[in-house]
Amino acid sequence: MAGMPPATMEVNDAVVQCLVRDQRPDLADRRLARVTNGWDNATFRLGDDLAVRLPRRAEAVSLIRHEQRYLPDIARRSPVAVPVPVHAGRPTSDFPWPWSIVRWVPGAAAADVGPAGRGPAAEGLADFLRALHVPAETGVPVNPFRGVPLLERDAAVVERLGVRERYPQAAALRAVWAQTCAAKAWDGPLMMLHGDLHPGNVLLTDDGSLAGVIDFGDVGAGDPAVDLAVAWLMFDAGARHRFMDACGPAVEEDTWVRARGWALILSTALLSNSDDNPRMFAVGEFGIRQILED
């Protein structure tokens, strides 16, 4: 059974309450409730409009710092809400890593909404990516696993597709992978990326339009095709084509081909590592179906 990475440190409500009380006593009387444990971070809601975000493993410490550094500028450009940090937490004897208090972004995760209910967000998500994808400033980190040339992820994809019981469609998926790897590599400037754009990190309003985007731990610089993979991870064929049209002519055909390759990378990552998370497993299954039906 393959599950999400184990935590180096699991934090409980008492630890989070102490951190907030000691560093933001003005917020100490707010109700605190655990929301989720992700692969990298634990999130607690703090009152109605804030959340506390803490690394749950050592590898995620730099990701929290990246969010603190780059999210304020992204928020200034974004047409929708993002979890802007309002406090950069300091390590303590109870919790040895940096942590954040961020704006709570309301909305229903697209992962919890059926494919038909996600369609109204297509144009809004394209607008968000057009605002996000600007040339990165000098010093913005390049994530070694996201936004890099596809061939750098070849070993991981080949290993995953080698598990026949999990991937009965492996032959067809290998053909897709070969096609996407043959596309022209990104030769433009390194662009600002979300890096982990899937339905679990996209929030919707009651009518299905885009409410916000969360979880910027993989924010960095690279090939924008990694974010455009959301076309297959989130939308069925009709909404996908509307999303692609809304992204505009600036996105070249080869970039869409690479984006399909990134959809394969991310879908197989979810399918191969989410046996303990049915919600993310379902996102991976949906992505695989869309890749093969396209």
Side-chain angles (χ1 to χ4, degrees), residues 133-154:
H133 289 165
V134 300
E137 297 178 357
T138 301
V140 175
V142 175
N143 188 314
F145 304 108
R146 305 290 168 90
V148 297
L150 288 178
L151 285 173
E152 293 188 17
R153 306 301 300 141
D154 181 67

Side-chain angles (χ1 to χ4, degrees), residues 61-100:
V61 171
S62 63
L63 308 187
I64 285 286
R65 292 195 177 104
H66 293 163
E67 289 183 341
Q68 293 171 349
R69 169 65 181 84
Y70 299 110
L71 261 173
D73 184 60
I74 290 171
R76 284 189 286 271
R77 301 196 311 274
S78 176
V80 295
V82 298
V84 184
V86 299
H87 175 77
R90 304 182 303 276
T92 70
S93 58
D94 291 325
F95 190 76
W97 299 324
W99 53 281
S100 295

